[in-house]
Amino acid sequence: MRKIKTHILLIITILNISCNSSKNGKRISLDSKKTSELINQILIDKKDSYLSSSCISENSNYFSISNFSNYGKRANKYLKIEDSTHYKLQKDLWINFKVTKEIIFNKKILTEEEFKSFQSKREFWEWEEFNCTGGFCTISKPFFNEKYDLAYVQISKKLFEYDYCSQIILYEYKNGKWIEKEIISQIIS
């Protein structure tokens, strides 16, 4: 009898893990689709401003001062995420996000390794002047609510070492399109 209970508990545990893995895979797939959708919409909308440069950073977190703790709290103020599993998934995807040619195909991608290979910031800016028209830009991984109809995203552009502009924007998915709902903050230096 005890053996049967142990086997039943083992089967239930395996089924539970399988279901959770399947759910997580579906969430990641949906997130990937929505991320590409939104970033492509942003590229169209911001092509003449923040995203007008010919280069983009592979990892927006590398060039910004944002850490997830503050960013996540601010994002959740607007997104009102209640599901802790969804919040954790968004956090993990945000931290590990890198721009790829599949997401952004019309810009040169500056990798972290490329940036680190320069001996000094001055060397980087001299290289950038000849290799990137209009500086370089960054875009964060969109942070989505549970319904994937609201997204919090940061876009930035850097022309020179001290010439920087950035926006944090709340987007809403309406009638099959991502629409800028609110500019939450804007920095121009």
Side-chain angles (χ1 to χ4, degrees):
M1 184 69 145
R2 189 175 259 179
K3 236 180 180 179
I4 293 173
K5 286 182 182 178
T6 304
H7 287 303
I8 291 172
L9 284 175
L10 182 60
I11 291 170
I12 290 171
T13 303
I14 291 170
L15 288 173
N16 194 17
I17 290 170
S18 296
C19 288
N20 285 339
S21 294
S22 177
K23 277 184 190 176
N24 211 26
K26 287 179 183 175
R27 286 181 182 176
I28 291 170
S29 178
L30 175 61
D31 190 277
S32 178
K33 177 182 178 239
K34 291 294 186 176
T35 296
S36 291
E37 233 175 52
L38 177 54
I39 288 176
N40 282 312
Q41 186 62 52
I42 292 170
L43 285 169
I44 292 167
D45 294 346
K46 302 288 183 183
K47 70 179 178 204
D48 295 326
S49 61
Y50 286 89
L51 299 174
S52 63
S53 60
S54 64
C55 295
I56 190 162
S57 166
E58 169 187 57
N59 184 342
S60 65
N61 303 334
Y62 186 72
F63 289 98
S64 76
I65 55 172
S66 290
N67 65 29
F68 182 78
S69 181
N70 292 331
Y71 190 85
K73 286 178 189 174
R74 287 184 308 201
N76 204 29
K77 178 181 170 187
Y78 294 90
L79 301 175
K80 297 176 177 44
I81 298 170
E82 295 177 7
D83 179 356
S84 61
T85 305
H86 180 78
Y87 185 86
K88 184 180 178 334
L89 177 67
Q90 289 301 299
K91 174 184 176 181
D92 292 344
L93 293 172
W94 186 85
I95 289 170
N96 296 307
F97 179 70
K98 290 189 179 196
V99 169
T100 63
K101 285 286 183 192
E102 290 77 31
I103 298 171
I104 298 175
F105 52 88
N106 61 346
K107 294 185 183 300
K108 177 179 180 4
I109 297 174
L110 297 173
T111 65
E112 287 178 49
E113 291 77 27
E114 216 168 11
F115 185 76
K116 288 176 185 176
S117 73
F118 294 101
Q119 298 299 313
S120 68
K121 286 186 177 181
R122 177 157 317 283
E123 188 181 344
F124 170 75
W125 289 107
E126 287 171 1
W127 173 89
E128 186 274 339
E129 183 179 331
F130 297 106
N131 293 286
C132 294
T133 306
F136 73 91
C137 54
T138 65
I139 189 163
S140 71
K141 156 77 177 71
F143 205 85
F144 296 102
N145 68 351
E146 293 99 324
K147 294 179 183 178
Y148 285 89
D149 62 354
L150 284 177
Y152 184 92
V153 66
Q154 180 173 2
I155 57 172
S156 306
K157 183 176 181 181
K158 206 160 186 155
L159 288 171
F160 305 106
E161 191 169 358
Y162 301 107
D163 188 351
Y164 174 80
C165 52
S166 178
Q167 286 185 327
I168 295 178
I169 306 167
L170 185 66
Y171 279 87
E172 185 172 21
Y173 192 73
K174 277 187 166 179
N175 302 321
K177 184 178 178 183
W178 285 100
I179 299 166
E180 191 176 294
K181 182 176 181 172
E182 179 181 350
I183 295 175
I184 294 167
S185 71
Q186 187 165 337
I187 298 169
I188 299 173
S189 67

